[in-house]
Amino acid sequence: MRRSKLLSLVVLGSVAAVANAAAAQEQSGDGAVASKSREAPGEPDIVVQGRRLGQRLAKLRVDLELAEDAVYARFNEINSDDRFDIHCREQSVYFSHSKQRVCQSNSFHEQDANMGEAAARTWQGDPGSSIERGSGAGAWSEQQRMQKLLREEMVSLSLRDEALHQAIKELGDKQLEYEKVRGRELADTRERELRSVEGDLPFGAQRVFEVKIGRDPWSQALTQPTFAITLFSGEIRTIDVACDGHSKDLEFAADVEWTLPDDWSACILTVRAQEDTTFALYQF
């Protein structure tokens, strides 16, 4: 297969954890700047620059939260199950007076409470502790199951709903801006969909995506029954397809075509690869 130049910039996913970690690191970083400034009173411009940077980062953190709220608001409005709804709140940090922003789905929060209740009864020596331990394990398994379904629904809806797709893109742009101001390059998974030239895509494909893997896997809805992957650089580790009632793990092979069974529908392809791996997905 022919190779094309890799471009990018669609970011999918939540940045709550990134924003929280960034905020904590930035607080310590601001303190270091202030400390250095006190030790060098002959250089007041350092104090001014540090204060301006802190103010800009504080504004960007607020913008990040607003962008994240917009993603969850749209997702909550259109998803298929109220248990998937995601809400954010301020939560106290253990052994600290500070708070952090936590965003969880209704199902995650419910099973967290169930696990906490089971653990408390076990610690109190409840005669039914063995049963409760089983209940706690069951709650954990249910929590993981629902999180997997939630992630699949988020990806699927983001590819079909323009408002959610745009909200996620704006969230990604805010995250990139925040990390750039902090002097960090963000290693996000990126993609671009090739547009047809004179009505044709390479090899007669109906859709073509070029991808660069960052810290996260890449997922894409399969809108055609046959697909193939061409590896440009790096290493593809796993490929899996999840559909309504079906799933399949695939072993990567260069330029091999896979065809989905006729009764498989609403399929999502997920590729996990070594960071900086680049490849193209062709759908026929």
Side-chain angles (χ1 to χ4, degrees):
M1 288 189 175
R2 246 182 345 230
R3 298 184 180 185
S4 306
K5 293 182 180 179
L6 180 73
L7 300 176
S8 51
L9 192 59
V10 173
V11 180
L12 293 177
S14 166
V15 296
V18 175
N20 293 338
Q25 292 174 12
E26 194 52 49
Q27 289 172 1
S28 62
D30 290 345
V33 171
S35 175
K36 183 176 180 181
S37 301
R38 287 193 294 271
E39 294 170 5
E43 301 180 7
D45 57 319
I46 296 178
V47 177
V48 173
Q49 291 173 7
R51 184 179 298 117
R52 287 176 178 171
L53 176 62
Q55 291 172 345
R56 186 176 181 188
L57 286 169
K59 181 181 183 304
L60 286 173
R61 283 196 290 270
V62 172
D63 291 343
L64 265 176
E65 291 186 4
L66 292 174
E68 191 175 41
D69 287 343
V71 169
Y72 294 149
R74 181 56 182 169
F75 177 68
N76 294 351
E77 182 180 354
I78 64 176
N79 70 47
S80 63
D81 192 327
D82 288 344
R83 291 177 296 175
F84 291 157
D85 287 2
I86 299 172
H87 303 284
C88 300
R89 66 185 189 279
E90 295 296 319
Q91 180 172 290
S92 298
V93 179
Y94 289 119
F95 305 108
S96 173
H97 295 295
S98 62
K99 292 181 178 292
Q100 65 178 357
R101 177 177 165 90
V102 175
C103 299
Q104 296 176 335
S105 66
N106 289 338
S107 63
F108 190 97
H109 184 68
E110 177 186 0
Q111 299 309 325
D112 246 8
N114 290 341
M115 285 186 283
E117 182 179 351
R121 291 183 179 179
T122 299
W123 294 336
Q124 293 167 4
D126 189 293
S129 60
S130 61
I131 298 176
E132 292 304 331
R133 278 196 293 272
S135 176
W140 184 86
S141 297
E142 177 64 10
Q143 187 181 70
Q144 300 307 303
R145 185 185 74 85
M146 290 297 294
Q147 286 300 104
K148 180 177 183 295
L149 293 175
L150 186 155
R151 287 192 296 270
E152 291 173 356
E153 178 130 339
M154 175 71 82
V155 172
S156 178
L157 289 177
S158 71
L159 297 170
R160 292 187 281 120
D161 184 81
E162 182 60 31
L164 179 60
H165 181 84
Q166 187 61 33
I168 289 173
K169 184 179 183 302
E170 291 176 2
L171 174 59
D173 290 344
K174 291 296 182 183
Q175 184 183 11
L176 290 171
E177 182 181 2
Y178 181 85
E179 296 297 333
K180 183 177 181 180
V181 171
R182 294 184 65 231
R184 295 179 56 195
E185 290 296 327
L186 197 62
D188 281 311
T189 294
R190 303 178 182 185
E191 71 172 31
R192 78 148 178 158
E193 182 172 7
L194 295 186
R195 300 301 178 186
S196 61
V197 178
E198 297 180 355
D200 294 321
L201 286 169
F203 313 108
Q206 298 297 311
R207 301 186 75 183
V208 179
F209 293 87
E210 292 185 326
V211 183
K212 181 176 181 180
I213 294 290
R215 296 178 302 197
D216 302 311
W218 179 72
S219 295
Q220 175 62 41
L222 294 174
T223 56
Q224 303 297 323
T226 301
F227 61 95
I229 293 176
T230 295
L231 179 65
F232 297 156
S233 65
E235 175 188 353
I236 291 178
R237 292 170 176 161
T238 64
I239 303 171
D240 63 76
V241 178
C243 311
D244 284 347
H246 304 278
S247 63
K248 180 71 173 178
D249 295 330
L250 304 175
E251 183 175 349
F252 172 71
D255 300 337
V256 169
E257 293 184 358
W258 293 279
T259 299
L260 300 173
D262 292 338
D263 60 342
W264 287 28
S265 61
C267 296
I268 296 176
L269 175 77
T270 299
V271 178
R272 293 172 177 82
Q274 183 182 57
E275 193 166 341
D276 292 329
T277 293
T278 59
F279 62 88
L281 169 70
Y282 296 82
Q283 298 191 51
F284 303 98

